[in-house]
Amino acid sequence: MPEFWSNVGSIFWYTLTIIIFVSYLMVLFNIVIDVFRDRELNGGVRAVWVIALIFFPVITALIYLIVRGRGMGQRAAVQAERNKAAADEYIRSVAGSPADEIARAKALLDAGTISNEEYSRLKAKALA
């Protein structure tokens, strides 16, 4: 029975260690992403942050989060808005308007490809 409890304790500590390590990696990756996302930083400052993260990762991460942590959320929100706007613009460009759908259906009707009933169904579908 004592072996069981020592194994449970080991599993608990290994699990806790893995969770902390993965959290640490996520913080480092988010800091690197934020360094390159910030358009106000010049190349030299970016290089200093990255080199400091490589040689003194824990201290640099803590300093970065204290000094620039508030801006990280703001920059992430701005980037999310840009991505959403780009996706919306792409969807609008691909989807077309109801007038475009009706014009295509009219061209198919004029070419004799579809019948009047099919044209009215496509027109009703585009206007719905």
Side-chain angles (χ1 to χ4, degrees):
M1 195 69 156
E3 290 178 26
F4 173 75
W5 291 110
S6 68
N7 287 338
V8 169
S10 295
I11 291 171
F12 173 76
W13 286 113
Y14 287 140
T15 304
L16 186 62
T17 303
I18 289 171
I19 289 171
I20 290 171
F21 182 68
V22 169
S23 300
Y24 169 72
L25 287 178
M26 289 175 59
V27 168
L28 284 182
F29 288 136
N30 280 327
I31 289 173
V32 170
I33 289 169
D34 187 63
V35 164
F36 288 103
R37 179 184 291 148
D38 191 2
R39 295 172 186 242
E40 295 176 6
L41 291 179
N42 63 20
V45 176
R46 288 179 183 175
V48 168
W49 278 114
V50 172
I51 290 170
L53 277 171
I54 291 171
F55 291 110
F56 309 107
V58 175
I59 305 247
T60 305
L62 289 174
I63 291 171
Y64 190 88
L65 291 175
I66 291 169
V67 173
R68 300 179 49 83
R70 180 175 301 216
M72 285 178 74
Q74 294 168 348
R75 286 184 290 277
V78 167
Q79 186 65 36
E81 286 295 322
R82 285 185 193 143
N83 291 344
K84 184 180 181 323
D88 290 346
E89 180 61 33
Y90 173 74
I91 290 170
R92 272 190 229 101
S93 71
V94 172
S97 68
D100 293 337
E101 299 277 335
I102 294 171
R104 278 183 258 166
K106 180 66 174 159
L108 289 173
L109 177 66
D110 292 343
T113 308
I114 60 173
S115 66
N116 281 332
E117 296 83 25
E118 291 171 320
Y119 171 72
S120 15
R121 265 187 291 158
L122 289 173
K123 185 176 174 183
K125 183 179 176 186
L127 293 174

